[in-house]
Amino acid sequence: MKRYEEQELTIYNSISKKKEKFVPINEGAIGMYVCGPTVYSNVHLGNCRTFLSFDLVFRYLKHLGYKVRYVRNITDAGHLENDGESGDDPILKKARIEQLEPMEVVQKYTVDFHNIMKTFNAHPPSIEPTATGHIVEQIQIVENIIEQGYAYEKNGSVYFDVMKYNEDHKYGILSGRNLEDMIANTRELAAQSDKKNPQDFALWKKADPEHIMRWPSPWSVGFPGWHLECTVMSTKYLGNQFDIHGGGMDLKFPHHECEIAQAEASNGQNPVNYWMHANMLTLNGKKMSKSTGNFILPRDMFSGDNDIFNKPFAPTVVKFFMYQAQYRSILDFSKEALEASEKGFNRLMDAYRSIGGVKTSESSSIDVTRWRQSCYDAMNDDFNSPILIAQLFEGAKFINSVLDGSEIITEKDLQLLKQTMQDFIFDVLGLVDIAESTAQDGNKLSETIKLLIQLRDKARANKDFETSDKIRDELQKAGIQLKDGKDGTTFSLN
């Protein structure tokens, strides 16, 4: 269904710093790239907010009927400290600490990232390329940039010539920074002595002897610069110019600024039409930081095993809370805010589940069509999820009003109301009905226990009392009590 033909979507474009009507390059099809995680540690809530923000974008674009190719990379090489220019590679650092191969670190935390995103009920991207899987292409683009005159080699490393690029283009177009001011305010560091200019950034770095992850290139045995991978993978899978590029606000400079420069230097054209940036999270009013201890991992929130919150919160409640702020706003996590959000979530779900008990009339006192469009209007306004949620609570209010007899609704309008609630709660926001999923889990558990009882009965019939007793004892350890009676075996949960 081509809903996009009936809706006008606007997106806040970071490069123009204003909302713009969204017009895709190719009608009905969208290319979207989002900078993925650097996989050297467990994914934290700040990362999750960024990826959930773009999951919302992905879901809504698909809901509108667009064919979306969503590319989100995995950074598994080349990301040094100090904005990818110097210092330790965090993957190698973690490999030394945990006494693992670098690719073991990558695999461990990539799996963790996927598991957390799945727990949040986020859609996987269409393509998830890795930096190490595109070394050849990264070398090729460096060669191309050198040929175009925008890069130079020094002592086995290759640097992007920002001053030369700025003669023909505009470096700082995304962040709004002025190159002359940046140069005036930058002190030359010893680690940057190979550069013509302190603002130049690495396209290829010669590996030190202790650097494990290294590849041969025309300039040295080394590794690609951090910024390079996203230029290569976005343009490889989406073309030299594509619709949307997303990421966290912290990536705007230098990472995304460098991406624009690399792409224009290599391909001769602006790579992205709409730049989108998700804002950061704070915890109890302070910036989340592992160094200060003011942070919490998603899994610790789900289990309640932490010193910050006094109870566990379901993943879908945490997600619902995040969407109660627009993706460009700073969002503060606090116990009080999460508990209020949990109550609101339960209220919304209770109303949705009660639709089945609504009695219809021959006429309606509610303008459901107008309300439905208000839900679209919210999302069309730069994916304004808090306004959408407010409209969904209006829908819940309609349901409760009909149930208590203060409003009436026709069967046709009731079906439209139900479909709209379903579309936006589950399809667009990607929330999960906890009560329903718990009931399903309970049914699965019940069937599993019944199967074990059958196996125990069979063991007892065969006089295999060791197996019979083991099944009973292991179930008891798990909090499941078996009771043998004349009508068979029943169970109860302790």
Side-chain angles (χ1 to χ4, degrees), residues 310-321:
N310 61 356
K311 57 171 287 186
F313 291 95
T316 198
V317 169
V318 177
K319 185 179 187 179
F320 181 70
F321 171 72

Side-chain angles (χ1 to χ4, degrees), residues 472-487:
R472 180 199 62 205
D473 295 342
E474 292 298 321
L475 284 173
Q476 189 167 3
K477 286 180 186 177
I480 301 164
Q481 184 76 40
L482 298 186
K483 184 177 181 180
D484 296 319
K486 63 179 182 178
D487 296 324

